[in-house]
Amino acid sequence: MEWRERDGVRWLEAELDGAGAAFSTRLGGVSEPPFDSLNLGLLTEDEEEAVKENRRRFAIALGLTPDQVVFARQVHGTDLVEHPLGKGVPEADGHVVRTPGTAPLIFVADCLPVALSGPRGVAMVHAGWRGLAGGILAGGAEAVGATSAAIGPGIGPCCYEVGEEVLGAFSGLEGVAKGRMLDLPEVARQLLARAGVEQVESACLCTSCEEELFFSHRRDRGRTGRQAGIAWVED
Ligand SMILES: [Zn+2]
């Protein structure tokens, strides 16, 4: 993964098999605190016009037009939708595209954004513990025949203290928790390996620790913005 910057917008970019993915930071937008500054999430208390401008800036920085970017209402589920869709915003936590020209985006602020690519396209998924436990990575891998994946910034094992229910969901995995501290990126890596995806790169950045770079739902007690993961099929 490499750092990129354009017009003040800064992001991490990953090269996958036949596809690309980008993970935004909070830098380069117009929103005021506590949404400063590149908040991409409308379902916050931020100003709608500011969020729309931020979305426009992120798309342009990536060389996309805003209408190429598609998203859904995320519900911590495991459903994937395939684009192009008709009108409307679906409920889904994962997206699949098979051809260039459409770039699905998911919103995060501690959950992991994960891009998977293979011969049948690219998937972009929202992977919090519920989605991971429910099998969203296996679903994404299956949909595109994934051979490579990129795990974006999310909450790290340094900051993610969880309860019994969450620990229990991953009791079949080795070495993913120390006490109550869960290593969500490691959970994702192991679940990707189980799904046959061996070529995996990880941002290894904790959204809660890296306050200058990322929004964190847990650190900011819910009043914060959203960064994004976005993916596309290469021309
Ligand atoms: Zn941390």
Side-chain angles (χ1 to χ4, degrees):
M1 245 175 264
E2 286 189 2
W3 284 108
R4 300 273 164 82
E5 184 164 352
R6 189 168 169 188
D7 300 328
V9 175
R10 201 164 167 222
W11 71 97
L12 277 165
E13 194 161 315
E15 271 185 47
L16 301 167
D17 291 337
F23 304 104
S24 72
T25 66
R26 68 192 298 173
L27 304 176
V30 299
S31 294
E32 302 288 337
F35 308 107
D36 52 319
S37 62
L38 195 79
N39 171 33
L40 300 170
L42 265 185
L43 300 180
T44 59
E45 290 166 49
D46 197 0
E47 299 291 332
E48 184 174 338
E49 287 310 310
V51 175
K52 286 185 171 166
E53 172 61 15
N54 293 338
R55 288 178 174 181
R56 193 190 68 81
R57 287 183 180 208
F58 186 47
I60 300 290
L62 295 173
L64 300 164
T65 59
D67 63 357
Q68 289 180 295
V69 180
V70 294
F71 38 78
R73 183 184 297 273
Q74 297 170 193
V75 293
H76 292 277
T78 56
D79 285 352
L80 289 102
V81 287
E82 187 171 330
H83 299 271
L85 288 165
K87 290 277 178 202
V89 179
E91 276 191 0
D93 287 271
H95 304 266
V96 176
V97 293
R98 306 199 188 275
T99 52
T102 304
L105 178 148
I106 59 112
F107 305 101
V108 278
D110 285 342
C111 289
L112 297 172
V114 182
L116 306 96
S117 86
R120 297 196 293 279
V122 69
M124 186 77 229
V125 308
H126 167 235
W129 79 265
R130 287 181 190 280
L132 289 169
I136 196 165
L137 292 182
E142 166 74 27
V144 300
T147 53
S148 66
I151 302 170
I155 196 161
C158 38
C159 296
Y160 194 38
E161 185 175 357
V162 299
E164 294 298 333
E165 182 193 6
V166 181
L167 288 173
F170 304 110
S171 58
L173 302 176
E174 294 279 342
V176 296
K178 282 199 181 115
R180 291 188 168 275
M181 307 306 288
L182 181 68
D183 188 340
L184 212 55
E186 177 61 18
V187 167
R189 200 192 58 73
Q190 289 191 26
L191 293 175
L192 286 166
R194 280 190 183 184
V197 190
E198 296 291 349
Q199 190 191 324
V200 179
E201 57 176 324
S202 182
C204 296
L205 286 168
C206 172
T207 43
S208 179
C209 287
E210 302 285 346
E211 190 165 6
E212 303 292 309
L213 289 173
F214 301 112
F215 302 109
S216 168
H217 191 269
R218 185 168 280 215
R219 182 194 65 222
D220 299 332
R221 301 198 168 115
R223 200 171 143 75
T224 193
R226 299 290 182 276
Q227 54 258 349
I230 186 169
W232 57 88
V233 174
E234 299 285 4
D235 277 308

